[in-house]
Amino acid sequence: MLVNPQQPRTSSAITIPTPPFMRKSYLKIKNNVEIFTSKGKYQTHIELRKSFYGFFKSKGHEILKSASLTPPENDGSLLFTNAGMNQFKPLILSSKETKRVANIQKCIRAGGKHNDLDDVGKDLHHQTFFEMMGNWSFNDAFSKEEACRYAWEYLVEKLGIDADRLYVSYFGGIEKLGLPEDKECQEIWKKIGVRTDRILPFIAENFWEMGAAGPCGPCTEIHYDRIGHRDASRLVNVDDSVVEVWNIVFMSNVRDSSGKIHRLGRNHIDTGMGFERLLSIVQNKNSNFDTDMFTPLLEKISFLTEKQVKYNGKLNSREDVAFRLVADHVRAATVAICDGVVPDGTGAGFIVRKMMRRSFLQGNSKLGIDRFALSDLIPTVVSTMNEVYPELGQSSDHIQRLFREEEIQFWKTVDKAKMRFDDVASENKSHMISGKKAFHLFETYGLPLSVTIEMARDVGKEVDEKEFEKCQFEAQKLSQKASQFKLPITADDFPSHSDKEKYNFVFDNGKYNFPQIKTKVLQVFKNQEVVDCLEENEKGFVLLEDCQFYGEQGGQTSDIGQLVVDDKTVFEVESAKKLENGRITVLFGRALHSIRKDLRVEQRLDEKRREGVMKAHSATHLLNWALQKSGLGYGQKGSSVDCDRLRFDYSTGDDDVGKDERTEMLKECEREMNKFIKNGGKTIVIETSVEEAKKIENLQSDIKEDRIGESSVRVVSLGTGIDVPVECCSGTHVHDVSMIGDIAIMSDKSMGQKLRRIIALTGDEASKSRDYAEKTFEDLKSMNPKERSKAAKKIDWKRVPLVDQYRLSSLLSKQKKH
């Protein structure tokens, strides 16, 4: 079973110790790297992708684009997309459609069941972000034998990998569960021509499961010997020098909640290959980090180091460990932010923020990279992957801005923590500073252990590092639990809790007024457990009686702000989360002073942010309406609403619209929306039953009853007249569409078959982008042809709205004709 395509995998049921004679396998690989060459030509990562798509297209597969790293809203089991099959769960569980597809899927494994975050950098194969190559057969679209033949043909004949270095494993059977040995698979490999002594039975390693319950089945794997010219059969699933390349799962069973395994009733085949690992093999490299996916980034990191430190690929070098960690974390965070994950205090946002902060710290302390310099790595990540994922280029400025903001805040925290160290050192008369206190400085204030040790030496003290490591280990266990985001809480326990106050605001005298509502703290949580209080600088969750903060839901980002007592901030709200199917909103953040149950607090929202989000959310409804009206869009497939910025995914139906025609239609959509905004019109919100809402003829959104926690729904209508945007929505909106001010479509790109994504700006941000485009146009217009050619190279196209991109391009193309 392919648990992680970058790392050797051990069975949860069987532990095989590594014999001493195998521990130097890495050195063997490195010393023999020149001899494990494939018979095929050298392939760049772009060429490898094309060969994969071309091969499976020739086998009748539909080629799909990667799904987003952000799982569907109704899949609460995942923080990130972590396997190629995630997007196909509906097909596996319920569909009877016969289908064969292939794709290369973006994945992150950092949090939840599969978490590689703490192992990155320590070896040559762990990554948090990776890509999974896969092809699928749904409902017997192709046979077990065909799946094996496709795999062997692609590796050996298409890529030219030496068959003498390949071993295959198959399921050896589990008698007590009524699962026989997969002799059919064994015979298939013999027919293909694999030597009998290279076909190996395994038990736990070759039975795949989606989770504790659900679809499962036997699997077969292809393993590659990096050293070669030997019998490596005893090293399969044991030693790093023999790596798993391809996993083929025969998904024909299902495990029920009691643990019993039954027939699924239909046969699916799910295959997976770690893209970076396969790339290292075809490029004759001994590590994923030595491929052309990573070398440009490692070279850029080297350039940023104080003494132009070079990456040497060593395991025992602290600098090389930092190189790998920084490269992986910056790359992962960049792609995650592009897919809509915002650095935050909980969930996926917490993981992204953690990766960013680790890269800031390691880059500065281990490599000597200047503070605030790591955002300079973003263009390198983008340039390496932009041809494959063009959305990265379109979001590059936004990602760099977030990196800069996060790093500024991080170093402020560290500098503040250094002052706290003086208190710790002076209160302890002993020569030893306890590891518990050192860890408190690290966990609460972000002060690295290495910095604490250096400061302790300066005052003639030492740090108990063993105790620190023990505290860190305990915290990691708690962190794994926290990543699942579960609190010991039910809505029935707190009948007085409500978040209706999130809708309590008025527009008066030309501005929005948000009342500073006082309420009671119903409960406090730390480390997912109920506590009496949160002390100063402790992080946790707070449940309020009348909550004014909007909890992240339906694509709309949450409110942030403060809880105040007697004009003193006692709790900084970093995010608000919905639990119990939306019936409870909890606030996550840091206590600045002690906060306990029954304390009365005053709520203060970040009003500028809330107003910007309201503009963007109303604009999202308007965009959905305009797209459907124009015939370009056939309904919303997802959205992310932030302050004066929105991402909107929409279905395109079956119509094949050309690029030029689509551009003209989008320009017309934007004109229609801004005309609607200029004309203005009140926002009307009614609360009605689900059944009554279904009767509304011009409703632009589907009613997702599985996501509705109550029997009634809110219906939001924007503007006046018959033909206006009307949707079921629990979000917050401007009181009048005129308050949106402006909406500018910045990009529109394909995200897969019949699916596209629009990025748009609203309010002041939209106006700024138009001003930049207009100034650029006038400047170019006034220049002679030679000056214009030079100036054109400096245009920041990502700041130019889609409409103006074509106006500028037209001006430049006229010059070329002359």
Side-chain angles (χ1 to χ4, degrees):
M1 178 185 69
L2 194 64
V3 173
N4 187 321
Q6 291 89 33
Q7 68 182 75
R9 179 196 20 73
T10 57
S11 161
S12 57
I14 302 172
T15 302
I16 305 174
T18 304
F21 69 87
M22 297 178 193
R23 290 176 187 158
K24 296 183 180 178
S25 59
Y26 164 72
L27 295 176
K28 290 181 184 177
I29 296 170
K30 194 165 181 67
N31 293 337
N32 288 276
V33 70
E34 70 279 358
I35 65 170
F36 65 89
T37 57
S38 69
K39 287 181 279 188
K41 66 176 183 178
Y42 175 92
Q43 292 191 321
T44 65
H45 74 93
I46 298 295
E47 290 169 342
L48 181 60
R49 295 173 198 276
K50 289 179 179 177
S51 77
F52 177 77
Y53 289 140
F55 178 82
F56 281 102
K57 190 172 183 181
S58 74
K59 303 299 182 184
H61 288 59
E62 179 184 356
I63 306 301
L64 299 181
K65 289 192 174 181
S66 170
S68 171
L69 275 173
T70 307
E73 290 178 17
N74 60 352
D75 191 346
S77 65
L78 298 172
L79 286 174
F80 299 98
T81 299
N82 66 0
M85 55 70 61
N86 289 161
Q87 64 173 303
F88 301 119
K89 281 183 182 179
L91 275 171
I92 294 167
L93 294 170
S94 58
S95 174
K96 295 182 179 179
E97 180 184 4
T98 299
K99 198 179 181 86
R100 53 173 72 188
V101 300
N103 85 335
I104 301 178
Q105 174 63 49
K106 296 178 286 186
C107 301
I108 284 183
R109 289 183 177 174
K113 180 183 176 183
H114 299 301
N115 187 354
D116 297 326
L117 191 62
D118 293 325
D119 295 313
V120 171
K122 297 173 185 176
D123 54 35
L124 300 178
H125 45 260
H126 273 96
Q127 296 161 223
T128 51
F129 170 75
F130 64 95
E131 296 175 86
M132 179 75 87
M133 310 168 86
N135 71 302
W136 289 266
S137 163
F138 298 112
N139 298 299
D140 294 302
F142 54 77
S143 69
K144 197 170 186 176
E145 182 171 342
E146 285 177 292
C148 295
R149 287 191 180 277
Y150 291 158
W152 194 261
E153 182 183 343
Y154 179 66
L155 293 177
V156 176
E157 297 179 24
K158 182 72 175 177
L159 297 183
I161 292 175
D162 186 356
D164 285 339
R165 291 176 179 262
L166 298 178
Y167 297 77
V168 297
S169 61
Y170 69 97
F171 180 54
I174 304 176
E175 188 176 338
K176 66 179 181 180
L177 293 178
L179 298 169
E181 181 180 357
D182 194 353
K183 289 187 176 294
E184 179 190 4
C185 185
Q186 182 187 34
E187 291 303 316
I188 287 171
W189 286 118
K190 287 180 182 178
K191 283 173 63 178
I192 289 172
V194 182
R195 284 168 30 190
T196 304
D197 62 339
R198 298 287 183 94
I199 306 171
L200 312 169
F202 287 87
I203 300 175
E205 290 88 346
N206 282 84
F207 192 80
W208 180 92
E209 297 186 75
M210 187 185 292
C216 55
C219 65
T220 183
E221 297 168 341
I222 302 175
H223 304 260
Y224 178 79
D225 178 13
R226 286 195 183 272
I227 295 174
H229 305 293
R230 60 177 182 169
D231 178 7
S233 56
R234 62 178 178 161
L235 305 182
V236 173
N237 285 328
V238 175
D239 186 58
D240 290 1
S241 65
V242 182
V243 293
E244 178 192 326
V245 178
W246 201 321
N247 180 39
I248 307 170
V249 177
F250 308 117
M251 205 181 303
S252 53
N253 302 95
V254 62
R255 188 191 286 270
D256 63 26
S257 57
S258 70
K260 292 182 180 178
I261 294 177
H262 313 276
R263 296 292 297 177
L264 185 60
R266 44 194 178 273
N267 296 311
H268 309 300
I269 297 176
D270 167 13
T271 85
M273 282 188 292
F275 176 76
E276 294 85 351
R277 176 176 290 180
L278 183 62
L279 185 65
S280 74
I281 291 171
V282 300
Q283 291 187 357
N284 309 319
K285 305 296 182 184
N286 65 319
S287 161
N288 300 350
F289 291 94
D290 294 323
T291 67
D292 66 346
M293 285 296 293
F294 279 97
T295 49
L297 188 53
L298 293 169
E299 287 169 2
K300 182 64 175 181
I301 294 170
S302 174
F303 175 78
L304 293 177
T305 61
E306 186 179 13
K307 298 179 180 178
Q308 304 283 288
V309 179
K310 300 295 182 185
Y311 175 69
N312 296 305
K314 294 180 180 178
L315 285 171
N316 58 354
S317 162
R318 69 178 219 157
E319 288 82 9
D320 285 351
V321 169
F323 264 104
R324 289 189 288 269
L325 183 143
V326 171
D328 170 85
H329 284 10
V330 170
R331 186 168 172 259
T334 297
V335 182
I337 292 169
C338 179
D339 276 6
V341 181
V342 178
D344 195 359
T346 58
F350 170 74
I351 300 298
V352 169
R353 174 171 284 168
K354 185 174 181 179
M355 288 193 290
M356 292 169 78
R357 290 184 169 184
R358 285 175 59 152
S359 63
F360 301 150
L361 180 59
Q362 294 276 333
N364 181 261
S365 64
K366 301 289 177 61
L367 298 175
I369 296 174
D370 288 341
R371 291 184 177 191
F372 318 117
L374 276 194
S375 60
D376 292 347
L377 294 176
I378 306 306
T380 306
V381 175
V382 170
S383 65
T384 306
M385 305 178 70
N386 194 47
E387 185 173 342
V388 185
Y389 304 114
E391 61 268 24
L392 282 167
Q394 295 160 4
S395 303
S396 181
D397 287 347
H398 170 62
I399 298 166
Q400 275 192 280
R401 178 178 60 80
L402 276 180
F403 258 82
R404 291 192 194 101
E405 289 174 357
E406 284 291 317
E407 189 161 16
I408 288 169
Q409 184 58 46
F410 173 72
W411 289 116
K412 278 183 181 177
T413 302
V414 171
D415 289 341
K416 183 179 178 182
K418 286 181 179 178
M419 293 188 290
R420 294 282 180 176
F421 172 82
D422 294 334
D423 297 333
V424 171
S426 60
E427 70 187 23
N428 190 349
K429 303 303 179 184
S430 167
H431 78 285
M432 183 71 72
I433 294 175
S434 75
K436 187 175 181 180
K437 288 185 177 178
F439 185 73
H440 178 72
L441 289 170
F442 169 72
E443 185 75 356
T444 307
Y445 302 102
L447 191 67
L449 175 63
S450 58
V451 177
T452 304
I453 291 171
E454 289 301 319
M455 294 171 70
R457 284 175 183 161
D458 289 342
V459 294
K461 293 180 182 287
E462 296 179 21
V463 177
D464 189 339
E465 295 181 52
K466 287 186 177 180
E467 187 181 21
F468 178 93
E469 290 172 1
K470 183 180 177 182
C471 293
Q472 190 173 41
F473 177 72
E474 293 299 322
Q476 285 172 355
K477 289 197 295 185
L478 289 171
S479 177
Q480 288 175 354
K481 288 171 63 180
S483 67
Q484 298 168 14
F485 189 57
K486 293 178 181 177
L487 293 176
I489 189 172
T490 64
D492 294 338
D493 293 337
F494 300 97
S496 65
H497 167 74
S498 169
D499 68 348
K500 298 290 186 185
E501 293 295 342
K502 65 190 176 188
Y503 301 125
N504 185 356
F505 58 93
V506 295
F507 187 79
D508 188 29
N509 294 324
K511 68 174 185 176
Y512 283 101
N513 289 319
F514 298 88
Q516 294 175 353
I517 296 166
K518 291 185 176 180
T519 190
K520 183 173 69 172
V521 175
L522 293 177
Q523 194 61 271
V524 179
F525 304 88
K526 178 185 173 185
N527 296 331
Q528 297 185 301
E529 295 178 355
V530 175
V531 292
D532 292 333
C533 69
L534 287 173
E535 297 295 351
E536 181 182 351
N537 286 311
E538 288 185 335
K539 284 203 167 190
F541 294 90
V542 172
L543 177 67
L544 301 180
E545 187 167 44
D546 294 305
C547 182
Q548 187 180 6
F549 289 79
Y550 184 90
E552 184 175 345
Q553 187 180 32
Q556 179 175 328
T557 190
S558 76
D559 284 326
I560 61 174
Q562 295 87 34
L563 302 182
V564 177
V565 175
D566 297 330
D567 287 327
K568 181 174 68 177
T569 301
V570 296
F571 189 79
E572 283 189 343
V573 180
E574 297 180 11
S575 63
K577 300 291 183 185
K578 304 286 280 186
L579 295 175
E580 288 280 278
N581 202 20
R583 295 166 67 195
I584 285 182
T585 300
V586 292
L587 308 182
F588 175 81
R590 183 192 297 276
L592 300 186
H593 298 277
S594 178
I595 182 168
R596 63 182 64 248
K597 181 180 177 181
D598 294 330
L599 183 69
R600 289 198 64 79
V601 294
E602 186 177 275
Q603 302 170 77
R604 293 185 184 175
L605 303 180
D606 183 327
E607 297 180 4
K608 185 178 180 181
R609 174 186 165 96
R610 165 69 88 89
E611 186 175 336
V613 172
M614 284 160 50
K615 290 178 183 178
H617 201 152
S618 296
T620 303
H621 285 215
L622 194 55
L623 178 59
N624 190 17
W625 167 78
L627 288 170
Q628 291 191 45
K629 188 177 177 183
S630 70
L632 270 179
Y634 286 78
Q636 178 177 334
K637 291 297 180 183
S639 67
S640 177
V641 181
D642 212 327
C643 182
D644 281 327
R645 183 183 181 89
L646 65 93
R647 186 197 78 217
F648 186 79
D649 296 343
Y650 64 100
S651 169
T652 59
D654 296 316
D655 298 333
D656 186 16
V657 180
K659 182 179 178 181
D660 291 342
E661 183 184 358
R662 178 177 296 281
T663 301
E664 287 304 314
M665 293 172 77
L666 284 171
K667 287 163 69 174
E668 182 57 36
C669 279
E670 187 174 283
R671 281 194 289 269
E672 188 77 17
M673 287 188 290
N674 281 308
K675 179 181 176 183
F676 196 96
I677 291 168
K678 187 175 181 181
N679 290 337
K682 297 293 182 184
T683 298
I684 300 171
V685 180
I686 61 169
E687 196 162 309
T688 185
S689 68
V690 172
E691 293 306 316
E692 287 301 313
K694 288 179 180 178
K695 296 176 184 177
I696 300 174
E697 290 185 8
N698 58 337
L699 197 67
Q700 257 99 36
S701 58
D702 296 327
I703 299 176
K704 300 179 176 65
E705 293 183 65
D706 59 321
R707 299 188 195 175
I708 297 171
E710 300 173 2
S711 58
S712 62
V713 293
R714 297 176 84 246
V715 179
V716 178
S717 173
L718 302 177
T720 55
I722 299 173
D723 185 11
V724 296
V726 182
E727 294 194 35
C728 289
C729 180
S730 62
T732 56
H733 292 271
V734 293
H735 80 291
D736 189 294
V737 290
S738 63
M739 294 303 297
I740 298 172
D742 190 4
I743 179 169
I745 296 174
M746 305 303 290
S747 66
D748 173 73
K749 58 181 179 290
S750 172
M751 297 301 292
Q753 190 179 37
K754 302 177 186 177
L755 181 67
R756 296 188 72 83
R757 171 173 292 175
I758 282 177
I759 302 293
L761 301 178
T762 58
D764 291 342
E765 293 299 314
S767 299
K768 287 176 186 176
S769 71
R770 294 196 193 283
D771 290 344
Y772 173 78
E774 186 61 33
K775 183 178 185 306
T776 302
F777 183 82
E778 292 301 324
D779 289 346
L780 289 175
K781 198 174 171 185
S782 65
M783 294 176 184
N784 62 48
K786 191 173 181 180
E787 291 173 327
R788 191 180 293 174
S789 292
K790 291 181 180 178
K793 296 176 183 177
K794 298 180 181 179
I795 297 173
D796 187 351
W797 290 98
K798 300 179 191 69
R799 293 175 59 192
V800 180
L802 196 61
V803 169
D804 295 295
Q805 289 175 20
Y806 288 90
R807 191 163 67 116
L808 285 170
S809 297
S810 177
L811 178 64
L812 294 170
S813 64
K814 285 178 184 177
Q815 172 187 310
K816 289 177 182 177
K817 289 177 183 177
H818 292 301

